[in-house]
Amino acid sequence: MLITADWAVPVSSAPIRDGAVVLRNGLIEAVGPADGLAKKYAGVPRHDHPGCIIMPGLVNAHTHLALTCLKGLLPPQPFAEWIRRVPQAMLALNRDDLASSTALGAANCIQAGVTVVGDIAHGPESAAIAADAGLGGQFYWEVLGIPAKQIDDYLDAIEFPAGRSGFTRRLNCGISPHAPYTSGPELIRAARALAAERRMGFAVHLAESVAETQLLHDGSGPLADLAKRLADGFEPPCKTPVAYMEMLGVLEGAVAVHCTQVLPVDIPVLARRVRGVVLCPRSNAHLNNGVAPAEKLGKGGVPLGLGTDSLASNETLDLFEEARALAEIAPGLGAERLVRMMTDEGAQILGLGDVFGSLARGLQADIAIFRIPHSKDPYEGLLQHAGRRSLEAVLSAGLWRILHGQPTFPVSFADRGSQLASMKAALALDDSHTASAQPTAPLRA
Ligand SMILES: [Zn+2]
């Protein structure tokens, strides 16, 4: 199949005016000027998209697809309150509810041009549903709230895959100890060791809130009781969150999510150790968690990705809306870097740079096509105009998922199921708000 547009933006190489991409057997076969490729591949089915830009399928490097049904239920509030209310809502949901919520999240991703996610999984549904929906990426099974010695039993209980059976180049699994205040130091180390042993991805929410910084500084603040209950063996290290993780020896190759609360001294440590930092500016704003020093991180040599986080703390899973929010607070990054963050740089952070994230021969045939007004600079054009409202088409693994702006798969089924889940979650939140005793269990534990 030959697909042409006004511009092809391969990301790994310079934009091509009147460009085209050739797809074969679920992979990218060739990228170049449309005229030349049309001659070389005469006779293959051709799709022309005048007025459009072709780019790689987007990489949303931090999602919680299972939390999609919480959209609109948790208004802006202090982080320490919000983090308690999410499990209160989720504990009201059964597996069907979680599956519907995840399916709607996956559909929302595709409908925004995203074909790759770095998802925090609470059980088996995320990877399975994502595979059906056409998403690929890393699925980080989350562990928290237990002593380190229980990690194997816990992973069994949340159906963490024992091996790579069922996993492919598109679909990968990893581990995420949630955060320093819900996972004790030995649990974080055990999760890191397991990820290294099995050559899997490792991600952690890090330096997200002032409350986390305060807890790690002197053990005080609104997360202290949560840490006492969930983070077995935690003692305040009197360090920044980044320095704490470095002290534990777990930063090497890690994906650090958020990093709003980092000091200048932390930046070289991150640059030296982590696979990358995933920024989630709209979630940070929703929970008043401050602003990550994105430009300083970028200039300091830290690979950067972009994530929407979940709809428990964001309005949409539209990654270009996230990029525009980041451009406002970090204009120095520029349009090209922002596009890289949501394509090849994001894919590399997830450890999947040789599978996704650019239009290059041999990579997965994951393509997003946006209707963009004529622009001399396609990166600027994308940053200003791309998003779910200008989405023309999406392919993943060479299959059309969106064509002429419309999904090729049913969305209404997931939408109805997710609405039911949303109602149950709303009732649980209402009950917990009025109840004197607060539920204490972590999600699915
Ligand atoms: Zn998150």
Side-chain angles (χ1 to χ4, degrees):
M1 181 191 325
L2 173 80
I3 305 173
T4 73
D6 291 1
W7 286 98
V9 177
V11 181
S12 54
S13 54
I16 304 159
R17 191 186 286 272
D18 296 319
V21 57
V22 177
L23 311 180
R24 179 173 291 178
N25 295 332
L27 300 176
I28 295 169
E29 166 105 358
V31 183
D35 279 356
L37 289 180
K39 280 182 196 140
K40 188 173 175 190
Y41 292 92
V44 305
R46 174 170 172 157
H47 292 261
D48 293 319
H49 292 277
C52 292
I53 294 179
I54 303 174
M55 67 178 303
L58 304 178
V59 179
N60 188 341
H62 184 63
T63 60
H64 300 251
L65 296 178
L67 306 192
T68 301
C69 67
L70 301 189
K71 179 176 180 175
L73 299 185
L74 294 161
Q77 57 194 291
F79 179 77
E81 288 172 26
W82 176 88
I83 196 74
R84 288 167 167 79
R85 291 176 68 68
V86 172
Q88 285 165 2
M90 297 304 282
L91 283 167
L93 307 182
N94 63 30
R95 282 219 153 143
D96 273 1
D97 300 325
L98 288 170
S100 298
S101 182
T102 305
L104 185 63
N108 284 180
C109 283
I110 298 275
Q111 289 171 301
V114 168
T115 65
V116 183
V117 293
D119 191 58
I120 303 297
H122 309 287
E125 51 281 312
S126 293
I129 290 166
D132 277 355
L135 293 177
Q138 277 280 4
F139 296 84
Y140 300 99
W141 264 252
E142 188 170 68
V143 295
L144 76 168
I146 53 161
K149 63 178 187 298
Q150 290 177 13
I151 188 169
D152 289 340
D153 290 344
Y154 187 96
L155 288 173
D156 283 349
I158 59 173
E159 297 181 47
F160 181 70
R164 286 199 54 83
S165 169
F167 285 80
T168 62
R169 286 194 84 206
R170 294 190 61 83
L171 217 57
N172 298 270
C173 60
I175 301 179
S176 175
H178 170 251
Y181 49 88
T182 54
S183 298
E186 292 313 314
L187 179 61
I188 295 171
R189 280 188 171 130
R192 184 74 200 89
L194 198 62
E197 181 190 313
R198 300 194 191 180
R199 298 187 174 196
M200 288 174 169
F202 178 80
V204 64
H205 294 81
L206 188 64
E208 183 175 1
S209 65
V210 173
E212 180 185 335
T213 303
Q214 188 180 1
L215 175 79
L216 266 64
H217 182 257
D218 58 14
S220 69
L223 290 175
D225 66 316
L226 202 67
K228 195 169 181 190
R229 183 154 50 82
L230 298 178
D232 183 61
F234 174 79
E235 294 289 341
C238 194
K239 290 181 182 296
T240 67
V242 170
Y244 173 57
M245 288 289 169
E246 173 74 340
M247 182 187 85
L248 296 182
V250 299
L251 271 185
E252 191 74 43
V255 176
V257 181
H258 293 300
C259 288
T260 61
Q261 306 292 317
V262 298
L263 294 178
V265 71
D266 293 324
I267 293 176
V269 178
L270 288 167
R272 197 163 62 241
R273 296 284 189 222
V274 299
R275 199 187 278 278
V277 166
V278 180
L279 304 174
C280 307
R282 287 190 298 168
S283 171
N284 300 149
H286 187 90
L287 298 171
N288 199 21
N289 276 337
V291 173
E295 292 178 11
K296 287 181 181 155
L297 288 163
K299 279 191 189 133
V302 181
L304 297 176
L306 193 61
T308 56
D309 214 340
S310 77
L311 294 192
S313 59
N314 205 343
E315 305 264 308
T316 71
L317 299 181
D318 187 328
L319 200 61
F320 267 108
E321 287 177 3
E322 202 70 40
R324 286 189 276 275
L326 184 55
E328 283 196 11
I329 56 180
L333 287 172
E336 182 175 347
R337 179 76 190 265
L338 285 161
V339 170
R340 285 183 182 282
M341 285 172 60
M342 59 177 105
T343 53
D344 69 339
E345 201 167 336
Q348 283 166 27
I349 287 172
L350 298 180
L352 301 172
D354 59 348
V355 184
F356 299 112
S358 53
L359 302 182
R361 184 180 164 86
L363 268 61
Q364 292 284 305
D366 283 30
I367 311 282
I369 304 174
F370 294 97
R371 294 183 301 276
I372 304 292
H374 181 72
S375 172
K376 279 186 184 163
D377 180 342
Y379 292 113
E380 283 290 350
L382 286 167
L383 182 61
Q384 284 176 28
H385 301 288
R388 65 210 147 104
R389 294 195 177 86
S390 60
L391 187 65
E392 170 70 11
V394 175
L395 297 100
S396 71
L399 297 176
W400 294 101
R401 304 290 178 171
I402 304 280
L403 192 55
H404 308 308
Q406 296 300 319
T408 58
F409 53 89
V411 180
S412 57
F413 186 71
D415 199 13
R416 274 198 300 277
S418 191
Q419 279 177 27
L420 177 63
S422 183
M423 197 179 68
K424 288 185 186 178
L427 288 170
L429 284 169
D430 209 34
D431 281 352
S432 69
H433 208 57
T434 50
S436 54
Q438 302 266 317
T440 55
L443 198 57
R444 228 190 247 266

